[in-house]
Amino acid sequence: LFEAMVNYLRDKANETPDEEEASSPQIEYKLPQLYRMISYYGMTSVMYPSKLTARYPEKDCVDLKELLSVRSEDWCYFNLTQCGHSRKIKSFEVTVIEAKGIKVGWVEEETVNTCDLDNDEAIIGDAEGSVALDPHQSNIINDSTRKRIEGLKLEDGLFIRTEDFASRRYIDGRLVASGDELDSTLLAKSEHSHPYKINWSPHSQSYDTYYRHLVISINGDFLFW
């Protein structure tokens, strides 16, 4: 397993414009062990990189400064997709640098962009098969249902993390939404209020991650990790 990681890093370091890019390692019969080892060494973003793409790139207000850094001078939706590999993205972190508004969520769509979100009527969280966290409005939107989260507000430097395809959501390290009953029990012993119970849980029988994609709507500047 360690050899696969070292070989990939060496191939990336030796890449030339004349050759194909190095492919992220895929040891099919040992994928869980491989992913666990790569995560342990903090190498996931290096071994399995991601990139941001505008769902509607014809918008001239978008500045894709780097693969994971974007500035948009108007509301626009972005996808976070794999870059040179097929490993599913199930967790991520985003830092709001400066923004008038942001909605971070997931949608279920068989192919990218089949869920029309680039209009005034379809909003992530309201669109069927989507869920979103909206710090500006201090709420989480789950199948058009809005739940206010006390203490949640949009500000520069806000740190947002989602895990397991949005089954858990954290703001500045505080759990604010979860699909796991155990989280409510544990958090009840702390000084914080109970996290909002979301219905999009990876433990439900209908759970299907194959068509689940991260989508973010923002008017401002943000950075993914």
Side-chain angles (χ1 to χ4, degrees), residues 174-197:
R174 179 170 69 96
L175 182 66
V176 296
S178 175
D180 192 333
E181 294 289 351
L182 293 177
D183 289 332
S184 295
T185 303
L186 293 173
L187 204 59
K189 298 177 181 178
S190 72
E191 62 182 0
H192 301 302
S193 59
H194 290 257
Y196 170 54
K197 176 68 167 64

mmCIF file with all atom_site columns, all heavy atoms in Angstrom, residues 174-197:
data_model
loop_
_atom_site.group_PDB
_atom_site.id
_atom_site.type_symbol
_atom_site.label_atom_id
_atom_site.label_alt_id
_atom_site.label_comp_id
_atom_site.label_asym_id
_atom_site.label_entity_id
_atom_site.label_seq_id
_atom_site.pdbx_PDB_ins_code
_atom_site.Cartn_x
_atom_site.Cartn_y
_atom_site.Cartn_z
_atom_site.occupancy
_atom_site.B_iso_or_equiv
_atom_site.pdbx_formal_charge
_atom_site.auth_seq_id
_atom_site.auth_comp_id
_atom_site.auth_asym_id
_atom_site.auth_atom_id
_atom_site.pdbx_PDB_model_num
ATOM 1   N N   . ARG A 1 174 ? -18.175 23.207 15.321 1.00 0.00 ? 174 ARG A N   1
ATOM 2   C CA  . ARG A 1 174 ? -19.372 22.849 16.101 1.00 0.00 ? 174 ARG A CA  1
ATOM 3   C C   . ARG A 1 174 ? -20.356 22.087 15.233 1.00 0.00 ? 174 ARG A C   1
ATOM 4   O O   . ARG A 1 174 ? -20.714 22.525 14.138 1.00 0.00 ? 174 ARG A O   1
ATOM 5   C CB  . ARG A 1 174 ? -20.050 24.105 16.658 1.00 0.00 ? 174 ARG A CB  1
ATOM 6   C CG  . ARG A 1 174 ? -21.303 23.809 17.465 1.00 0.00 ? 174 ARG A CG  1
ATOM 7   C CD  . ARG A 1 174 ? -21.801 25.043 18.184 1.00 0.00 ? 174 ARG A CD  1
ATOM 8   N NE  . ARG A 1 174 ? -22.331 26.057 17.284 1.00 0.00 ? 174 ARG A NE  1
ATOM 9   C CZ  . ARG A 1 174 ? -23.630 26.184 17.010 1.00 0.00 ? 174 ARG A CZ  1
ATOM 10  N NH1 . ARG A 1 174 ? -24.508 25.352 17.538 1.00 0.00 ? 174 ARG A NH1 1
ATOM 11  N NH2 . ARG A 1 174 ? -24.039 27.133 16.213 1.00 0.00 ? 174 ARG A NH2 1
ATOM 12  N N   . LEU A 1 175 ? -20.805 20.937 15.695 1.00 0.00 ? 175 LEU A N   1
ATOM 13  C CA  . LEU A 1 175 ? -21.793 20.138 14.975 1.00 0.00 ? 175 LEU A CA  1
ATOM 14  C C   . LEU A 1 175 ? -23.139 20.861 14.983 1.00 0.00 ? 175 LEU A C   1
ATOM 15  O O   . LEU A 1 175 ? -23.688 21.153 16.035 1.00 0.00 ? 175 LEU A O   1
ATOM 16  C CB  . LEU A 1 175 ? -21.937 18.764 15.632 1.00 0.00 ? 175 LEU A CB  1
ATOM 17  C CG  . LEU A 1 175 ? -22.908 17.787 14.980 1.00 0.00 ? 175 LEU A CG  1
ATOM 18  C CD1 . LEU A 1 175 ? -22.415 17.389 13.596 1.00 0.00 ? 175 LEU A CD1 1
ATOM 19  C CD2 . LEU A 1 175 ? -23.084 16.552 15.853 1.00 0.00 ? 175 LEU A CD2 1
ATOM 20  N N   . VAL A 1 176 ? -23.677 21.153 13.784 1.00 0.00 ? 176 VAL A N   1
ATOM 21  C CA  . VAL A 1 176 ? -24.940 21.882 13.708 1.00 0.00 ? 176 VAL A CA  1
ATOM 22  C C   . VAL A 1 176 ? -26.044 21.070 13.041 1.00 0.00 ? 176 VAL A C   1
ATOM 23  O O   . VAL A 1 176 ? -27.225 21.421 13.154 1.00 0.00 ? 176 VAL A O   1
ATOM 24  C CB  . VAL A 1 176 ? -24.758 23.222 12.952 1.00 0.00 ? 176 VAL A CB  1
ATOM 25  C CG1 . VAL A 1 176 ? -23.814 24.134 13.706 1.00 0.00 ? 176 VAL A CG1 1
ATOM 26  C CG2 . VAL A 1 176 ? -24.271 22.991 11.523 1.00 0.00 ? 176 VAL A CG2 1
ATOM 27  N N   . ALA A 1 177 ? -25.705 19.994 12.332 1.00 0.00 ? 177 ALA A N   1
ATOM 28  C CA  . ALA A 1 177 ? -26.727 19.171 11.682 1.00 0.00 ? 177 ALA A CA  1
ATOM 29  C C   . ALA A 1 177 ? -26.204 17.759 11.539 1.00 0.00 ? 177 ALA A C   1
ATOM 30  O O   . ALA A 1 177 ? -25.031 17.548 11.235 1.00 0.00 ? 177 ALA A O   1
ATOM 31  C CB  . ALA A 1 177 ? -27.094 19.738 10.318 1.00 0.00 ? 177 ALA A CB  1
ATOM 32  N N   . SER A 1 178 ? -27.091 16.784 11.769 1.00 0.00 ? 178 SER A N   1
ATOM 33  C CA  . SER A 1 178 ? -26.652 15.393 11.708 1.00 0.00 ? 178 SER A CA  1
ATOM 34  C C   . SER A 1 178 ? -27.810 14.471 11.372 1.00 0.00 ? 178 SER A C   1
ATOM 35  O O   . SER A 1 178 ? -28.959 14.742 11.719 1.00 0.00 ? 178 SER A O   1
ATOM 36  C CB  . SER A 1 178 ? -26.035 14.977 13.038 1.00 0.00 ? 178 SER A CB  1
ATOM 37  O OG  . SER A 1 178 ? -25.714 13.600 13.041 1.00 0.00 ? 178 SER A OG  1
ATOM 38  N N   . GLY A 1 179 ? -27.483 13.358 10.710 1.00 0.00 ? 179 GLY A N   1
ATOM 39  C CA  . GLY A 1 179 ? -28.465 12.325 10.431 1.00 0.00 ? 179 GLY A CA  1
ATOM 40  C C   . GLY A 1 179 ? -28.290 11.125 11.329 1.00 0.00 ? 179 GLY A C   1
ATOM 41  O O   . GLY A 1 179 ? -28.906 10.090 11.116 1.00 0.00 ? 179 GLY A O   1
ATOM 42  N N   . ASP A 1 180 ? -27.453 11.241 12.337 1.00 0.00 ? 180 ASP A N   1
ATOM 43  C CA  . ASP A 1 180 ? -27.139 10.145 13.238 1.00 0.00 ? 180 ASP A CA  1
ATOM 44  C C   . ASP A 1 180 ? -27.717 10.433 14.620 1.00 0.00 ? 180 ASP A C   1
ATOM 45  O O   . ASP A 1 180 ? -27.404 11.449 15.238 1.00 0.00 ? 180 ASP A O   1
ATOM 46  C CB  . ASP A 1 180 ? -25.620 9.962  13.331 1.00 0.00 ? 180 ASP A CB  1
ATOM 47  C CG  . ASP A 1 180 ? -25.233 8.663  14.019 1.00 0.00 ? 180 ASP A CG  1
ATOM 48  O OD1 . ASP A 1 180 ? -26.016 8.175  14.844 1.00 0.00 ? 180 ASP A OD1 1
ATOM 49  O OD2 . ASP A 1 180 ? -24.129 8.157  13.736 1.00 0.00 ? 180 ASP A OD2 1
ATOM 50  N N   . GLU A 1 181 ? -28.547 9.544  15.119 1.00 0.00 ? 181 GLU A N   1
ATOM 51  C CA  . GLU A 1 181 ? -29.180 9.738  16.419 1.00 0.00 ? 181 GLU A CA  1
ATOM 52  C C   . GLU A 1 181 ? -28.156 9.846  17.554 1.00 0.00 ? 181 GLU A C   1
ATOM 53  O O   . GLU A 1 181 ? -28.371 10.535 18.547 1.00 0.00 ? 181 GLU A O   1
ATOM 54  C CB  . GLU A 1 181 ? -30.141 8.579  16.716 1.00 0.00 ? 181 GLU A CB  1
ATOM 55  C CG  . GLU A 1 181 ? -31.352 8.513  15.794 1.00 0.00 ? 181 GLU A CG  1
ATOM 56  C CD  . GLU A 1 181 ? -32.341 9.629  16.063 1.00 0.00 ? 181 GLU A CD  1
ATOM 57  O OE1 . GLU A 1 181 ? -32.164 10.347 17.069 1.00 0.00 ? 181 GLU A OE1 1
ATOM 58  O OE2 . GLU A 1 181 ? -33.283 9.786  15.271 1.00 0.00 ? 181 GLU A OE2 1
ATOM 59  N N   . LEU A 1 182 ? -27.029 9.154  17.420 1.00 0.00 ? 182 LEU A N   1
ATOM 60  C CA  . LEU A 1 182 ? -26.013 9.177  18.469 1.00 0.00 ? 182 LEU A CA  1
ATOM 61  C C   . LEU A 1 182 ? -25.455 10.582 18.680 1.00 0.00 ? 182 LEU A C   1
ATOM 62  O O   . LEU A 1 182 ? -25.062 10.936 19.786 1.00 0.00 ? 182 LEU A O   1
ATOM 63  C CB  . LEU A 1 182 ? -24.879 8.214  18.132 1.00 0.00 ? 182 LEU A CB  1
ATOM 64  C CG  . LEU A 1 182 ? -25.230 6.719  18.142 1.00 0.00 ? 182 LEU A CG  1
ATOM 65  C CD1 . LEU A 1 182 ? -24.025 5.894  17.718 1.00 0.00 ? 182 LEU A CD1 1
ATOM 66  C CD2 . LEU A 1 182 ? -25.716 6.290  19.517 1.00 0.00 ? 182 LEU A CD2 1
ATOM 67  N N   . ASP A 1 183 ? -25.437 11.394 17.624 1.00 0.00 ? 183 ASP A N   1
ATOM 68  C CA  . ASP A 1 183 ? -24.906 12.752 17.752 1.00 0.00 ? 183 ASP A CA  1
ATOM 69  C C   . ASP A 1 183 ? -25.776 13.588 18.688 1.00 0.00 ? 183 ASP A C   1
ATOM 70  O O   . ASP A 1 183 ? -25.262 14.382 19.469 1.00 0.00 ? 183 ASP A O   1
ATOM 71  C CB  . ASP A 1 183 ? -24.812 13.419 16.379 1.00 0.00 ? 183 ASP A CB  1
ATOM 72  C CG  . ASP A 1 183 ? -23.707 12.820 15.532 1.00 0.00 ? 183 ASP A CG  1
ATOM 73  O OD1 . ASP A 1 183 ? -22.720 12.321 16.114 1.00 0.00 ? 183 ASP A OD1 1
ATOM 74  O OD2 . ASP A 1 183 ? -23.831 12.825 14.297 1.00 0.00 ? 183 ASP A OD2 1
ATOM 75  N N   . SER A 1 184 ? -27.071 13.419 18.619 1.00 0.00 ? 184 SER A N   1
ATOM 76  C CA  . SER A 1 184 ? -27.970 14.168 19.494 1.00 0.00 ? 184 SER A CA  1
ATOM 77  C C   . SER A 1 184 ? -27.746 13.785 20.947 1.00 0.00 ? 184 SER A C   1
ATOM 78  O O   . SER A 1 184 ? -27.739 14.629 21.837 1.00 0.00 ? 184 SER A O   1
ATOM 79  C CB  . SER A 1 184 ? -29.435 13.895 19.109 1.00 0.00 ? 184 SER A CB  1
ATOM 80  O OG  . SER A 1 184 ? -29.705 14.382 17.820 1.00 0.00 ? 184 SER A OG  1
ATOM 81  N N   . THR A 1 185 ? -27.518 12.504 21.195 1.00 0.00 ? 185 THR A N   1
ATOM 82  C CA  . THR A 1 185 ? -27.283 12.036 22.554 1.00 0.00 ? 185 THR A CA  1
ATOM 83  C C   . THR A 1 185 ? -25.989 12.596 23.120 1.00 0.00 ? 185 THR A C   1
ATOM 84  O O   . THR A 1 185 ? -25.935 13.061 24.260 1.00 0.00 ? 185 THR A O   1
ATOM 85  C CB  . THR A 1 185 ? -27.228 10.495 22.588 1.00 0.00 ? 185 THR A CB  1
ATOM 86  O OG1 . THR A 1 185 ? -28.436 9.978  22.049 1.00 0.00 ? 185 THR A OG1 1
ATOM 87  C CG2 . THR A 1 185 ? -27.037 9.991  24.012 1.00 0.00 ? 185 THR A CG2 1
ATOM 88  N N   . LEU A 1 186 ? -24.951 12.589 22.308 1.00 0.00 ? 186 LEU A N   1
ATOM 89  C CA  . LEU A 1 186 ? -23.653 13.080 22.767 1.00 0.00 ? 186 LEU A CA  1
ATOM 90  C C   . LEU A 1 186 ? -23.672 14.588 22.973 1.00 0.00 ? 186 LEU A C   1
ATOM 91  O O   . LEU A 1 186 ? -23.147 15.093 23.960 1.00 0.00 ? 186 LEU A O   1
ATOM 92  C CB  . LEU A 1 186 ? -22.567 12.711 21.751 1.00 0.00 ? 186 LEU A CB  1
ATOM 93  C CG  . LEU A 1 186 ? -22.260 11.222 21.616 1.00 0.00 ? 186 LEU A CG  1
ATOM 94  C CD1 . LEU A 1 186 ? -21.301 10.995 20.457 1.00 0.00 ? 186 LEU A CD1 1
ATOM 95  C CD2 . LEU A 1 186 ? -21.667 10.679 22.908 1.00 0.00 ? 186 LEU A CD2 1
ATOM 96  N N   . LEU A 1 187 ? -24.303 15.301 22.062 1.00 0.00 ? 187 LEU A N   1
ATOM 97  C CA  . LEU A 1 187 ? -24.295 16.755 22.140 1.00 0.00 ? 187 LEU A CA  1
ATOM 98  C C   . LEU A 1 187 ? -25.185 17.264 23.267 1.00 0.00 ? 187 LEU A C   1
ATOM 99  O O   . LEU A 1 187 ? -24.987 18.354 23.780 1.00 0.00 ? 187 LEU A O   1
ATOM 100 C CB  . LEU A 1 187 ? -24.742 17.365 20.812 1.00 0.00 ? 187 LEU A CB  1
ATOM 101 C CG  . LEU A 1 187 ? -24.268 18.792 20.545 1.00 0.00 ? 187 LEU A CG  1
ATOM 102 C CD1 . LEU A 1 187 ? -22.752 18.878 20.546 1.00 0.00 ? 187 LEU A CD1 1
ATOM 103 C CD2 . LEU A 1 187 ? -24.799 19.291 19.213 1.00 0.00 ? 187 LEU A CD2 1
ATOM 104 N N   . ALA A 1 188 ? -26.144 16.463 23.663 1.00 0.00 ? 188 ALA A N   1
ATOM 105 C CA  . ALA A 1 188 ? -27.043 16.879 24.740 1.00 0.00 ? 188 ALA A CA  1
ATOM 106 C C   . ALA A 1 188 ? -26.286 17.070 26.049 1.00 0.00 ? 188 ALA A C   1
ATOM 107 O O   . ALA A 1 188 ? -26.737 17.775 26.943 1.00 0.00 ? 188 ALA A O   1
ATOM 108 C CB  . ALA A 1 188 ? -28.144 15.841 24.932 1.00 0.00 ? 188 ALA A CB  1
ATOM 109 N N   . LYS A 1 189 ? -25.110 16.445 26.163 1.00 0.00 ? 189 LYS A N   1
ATOM 110 C CA  . LYS A 1 189 ? -24.319 16.549 27.384 1.00 0.00 ? 189 LYS A CA  1
ATOM 111 C C   . LYS A 1 189 ? -23.423 17.781 27.390 1.00 0.00 ? 189 LYS A C   1
ATOM 112 O O   . LYS A 1 189 ? -22.763 18.070 28.368 1.00 0.00 ? 189 LYS A O   1
ATOM 113 C CB  . LYS A 1 189 ? -23.451 15.304 27.538 1.00 0.00 ? 189 LYS A CB  1
ATOM 114 C CG  . LYS A 1 189 ? -24.253 14.013 27.665 1.00 0.00 ? 189 LYS A CG  1
ATOM 115 C CD  . LYS A 1 189 ? -23.336 12.814 27.751 1.00 0.00 ? 189 LYS A CD  1
ATOM 116 C CE  . LYS A 1 189 ? -24.132 11.521 27.858 1.00 0.00 ? 189 LYS A CE  1
ATOM 117 N NZ  . LYS A 1 189 ? -23.241 10.338 27.902 1.00 0.00 ? 189 LYS A NZ  1
ATOM 118 N N   . SER A 1 190 ? -23.403 18.512 26.270 1.00 0.00 ? 190 SER A N   1
ATOM 119 C CA  . SER A 1 190 ? -22.557 19.693 26.183 1.00 0.00 ? 190 SER A CA  1
ATOM 120 C C   . SER A 1 190 ? -23.398 20.943 26.375 1.00 0.00 ? 190 SER A C   1
ATOM 121 O O   . SER A 1 190 ? -24.610 20.882 26.550 1.00 0.00 ? 190 SER A O   1
ATOM 122 C CB  . SER A 1 190 ? -21.848 19.734 24.825 1.00 0.00 ? 190 SER A CB  1
ATOM 123 O OG  . SER A 1 190 ? -22.768 20.059 23.801 1.00 0.00 ? 190 SER A OG  1
ATOM 124 N N   . GLU A 1 191 ? -22.746 22.101 26.280 1.00 0.00 ? 191 GLU A N   1
ATOM 125 C CA  . GLU A 1 191 ? -23.454 23.362 26.483 1.00 0.00 ? 191 GLU A CA  1
ATOM 126 C C   . GLU A 1 191 ? -24.192 23.809 25.237 1.00 0.00 ? 191 GLU A C   1
ATOM 127 O O   . GLU A 1 191 ? -24.975 24.755 25.279 1.00 0.00 ? 191 GLU A O   1
ATOM 128 C CB  . GLU A 1 191 ? -22.447 24.449 26.884 1.00 0.00 ? 191 GLU A CB  1
ATOM 129 C CG  . GLU A 1 191 ? -21.391 24.717 25.811 1.00 0.00 ? 191 GLU A CG  1
ATOM 130 C CD  . GLU A 1 191 ? -20.370 25.757 26.250 1.00 0.00 ? 191 GLU A CD  1
ATOM 131 O OE1 . GLU A 1 191 ? -20.505 26.252 27.378 1.00 0.00 ? 191 GLU A OE1 1
ATOM 132 O OE2 . GLU A 1 191 ? -19.467 26.067 25.467 1.00 0.00 ? 191 GLU A OE2 1
ATOM 133 N N   . HIS A 1 192 ? -23.959 23.133 24.108 1.00 0.00 ? 192 HIS A N   1
ATOM 134 C CA  . HIS A 1 192 ? -24.590 23.535 22.860 1.00 0.00 ? 192 HIS A CA  1
ATOM 135 C C   . HIS A 1 192 ? -25.995 22.946 22.746 1.00 0.00 ? 192 HIS A C   1
ATOM 136 O O   . HIS A 1 192 ? -26.332 21.964 23.388 1.00 0.00 ? 192 HIS A O   1
ATOM 137 C CB  . HIS A 1 192 ? -23.744 23.081 21.666 1.00 0.00 ? 192 HIS A CB  1
ATOM 138 C CG  . HIS A 1 192 ? -22.352 23.643 21.686 1.00 0.00 ? 192 HIS A CG  1
ATOM 139 N ND1 . HIS A 1 192 ? -22.100 24.989 21.711 1.00 0.00 ? 192 HIS A ND1 1
ATOM 140 C CD2 . HIS A 1 192 ? -21.139 23.023 21.707 1.00 0.00 ? 192 HIS A CD2 1
ATOM 141 C CE1 . HIS A 1 192 ? -20.783 25.184 21.730 1.00 0.00 ? 192 HIS A CE1 1
ATOM 142 N NE2 . HIS A 1 192 ? -20.196 23.998 21.728 1.00 0.00 ? 192 HIS A NE2 1
ATOM 143 N N   . SER A 1 193 ? -26.782 23.534 21.873 1.00 0.00 ? 193 SER A N   1
ATOM 144 C CA  . SER A 1 193 ? -28.107 22.997 21.612 1.00 0.00 ? 193 SER A CA  1
ATOM 145 C C   . SER A 1 193 ? -27.990 21.747 20.751 1.00 0.00 ? 193 SER A C   1
ATOM 146 O O   . SER A 1 193 ? -26.940 21.470 20.188 1.00 0.00 ? 193 SER A O   1
ATOM 147 C CB  . SER A 1 193 ? -28.948 24.056 20.874 1.00 0.00 ? 193 SER A CB  1
ATOM 148 O OG  . SER A 1 193 ? -28.319 24.407 19.653 1.00 0.00 ? 193 SER A OG  1
ATOM 149 N N   . HIS A 1 194 ? -29.085 21.005 20.667 1.00 0.00 ? 194 HIS A N   1
ATOM 150 C CA  . HIS A 1 194 ? -29.075 19.785 19.869 1.00 0.00 ? 194 HIS A CA  1
ATOM 151 C C   . HIS A 1 194 ? -28.855 20.126 18.393 1.00 0.00 ? 194 HIS A C   1
ATOM 152 O O   . HIS A 1 194 ? -29.375 21.121 17.902 1.00 0.00 ? 194 HIS A O   1
ATOM 153 C CB  . HIS A 1 194 ? -30.419 19.046 19.998 1.00 0.00 ? 194 HIS A CB  1
ATOM 154 C CG  . HIS A 1 194 ? -30.614 18.444 21.346 1.00 0.00 ? 194 HIS A CG  1
ATOM 155 N ND1 . HIS A 1 194 ? -30.446 17.109 21.569 1.00 0.00 ? 194 HIS A ND1 1
ATOM 156 C CD2 . HIS A 1 194 ? -30.935 19.000 22.537 1.00 0.00 ? 194 HIS A CD2 1
ATOM 157 C CE1 . HIS A 1 194 ? -30.696 16.845 22.845 1.00 0.00 ? 194 HIS A CE1 1
ATOM 158 N NE2 . HIS A 1 194 ? -30.986 17.983 23.446 1.00 0.00 ? 194 HIS A NE2 1
ATOM 159 N N   . PRO A 1 195 ? -28.144 19.277 17.673 1.00 0.00 ? 195 PRO A N   1
ATOM 160 C CA  . PRO A 1 195 ? -27.983 19.529 16.246 1.00 0.00 ? 195 PRO A CA  1
ATOM 161 C C   . PRO A 1 195 ? -29.285 19.247 15.515 1.00 0.00 ? 195 PRO A C   1
ATOM 162 O O   . PRO A 1 195 ? -30.104 18.446 15.978 1.00 0.00 ? 195 PRO A O   1
ATOM 163 C CB  . PRO A 1 195 ? -26.894 18.534 15.833 1.00 0.00 ? 195 PRO A CB  1
ATOM 164 C CG  . PRO A 1 195 ? -27.051 17.407 16.796 1.00 0.00 ? 195 PRO A CG  1
ATOM 165 C CD  . PRO A 1 195 ? -27.464 18.049 18.097 1.00 0.00 ? 195 PRO A CD  1
ATOM 166 N N   . TYR A 1 196 ? -29.489 19.908 14.396 1.00 0.00 ? 196 TYR A N   1
ATOM 167 C CA  . TYR A 1 196 ? -30.686 19.674 13.599 1.00 0.00 ? 196 TYR A CA  1
ATOM 168 C C   . TYR A 1 196 ? -30.618 18.282 12.988 1.00 0.00 ? 196 TYR A C   1
ATOM 169 O O   . TYR A 1 196 ? -29.633 17.901 12.391 1.00 0.00 ? 196 TYR A O   1
ATOM 170 C CB  . TYR A 1 196 ? -30.785 20.744 12.503 1.00 0.00 ? 196 TYR A CB  1
ATOM 171 C CG  . TYR A 1 196 ? -31.850 20.471 11.486 1.00 0.00 ? 196 TYR A CG  1
ATOM 172 C CD1 . TYR A 1 196 ? -33.164 20.234 11.879 1.00 0.00 ? 196 TYR A CD1 1
ATOM 173 C CD2 . TYR A 1 196 ? -31.540 20.447 10.140 1.00 0.00 ? 196 TYR A CD2 1
ATOM 174 C CE1 . TYR A 1 196 ? -34.150 19.985 10.943 1.00 0.00 ? 196 TYR A CE1 1
ATOM 175 C CE2 . TYR A 1 196 ? -32.523 20.206 9.197  1.00 0.00 ? 196 TYR A CE2 1
ATOM 176 C CZ  . TYR A 1 196 ? -33.817 19.977 9.605  1.00 0.00 ? 196 TYR A CZ  1
ATOM 177 O OH  . TYR A 1 196 ? -34.786 19.728 8.670  1.00 0.00 ? 196 TYR A OH  1
ATOM 178 N N   . LYS A 1 197 ? -31.703 17.521 13.126 1.00 0.00 ? 197 LYS A N   1
ATOM 179 C CA  . LYS A 1 197 ? -31.767 16.163 12.575 1.00 0.00 ? 197 LYS A CA  1
ATOM 180 C C   . LYS A 1 197 ? -32.126 16.258 11.094 1.00 0.00 ? 197 LYS A C   1
ATOM 181 O O   . LYS A 1 197 ? -33.196 16.720 10.728 1.00 0.00 ? 197 LYS A O   1
ATOM 182 C CB  . LYS A 1 197 ? -32.824 15.339 13.307 1.00 0.00 ? 197 LYS A CB  1
ATOM 183 C CG  . LYS A 1 197 ? -33.033 13.935 12.746 1.00 0.00 ? 197 LYS A CG  1
ATOM 184 C CD  . LYS A 1 197 ? -31.821 13.055 12.986 1.00 0.00 ? 197 LYS A CD  1
ATOM 185 C CE  . LYS A 1 197 ? -32.178 11.589 12.717 1.00 0.00 ? 197 LYS A CE  1
ATOM 186 N NZ  . LYS A 1 197 ? -32.548 11.336 11.318 1.00 0.00 ? 197 LYS A NZ  1
#
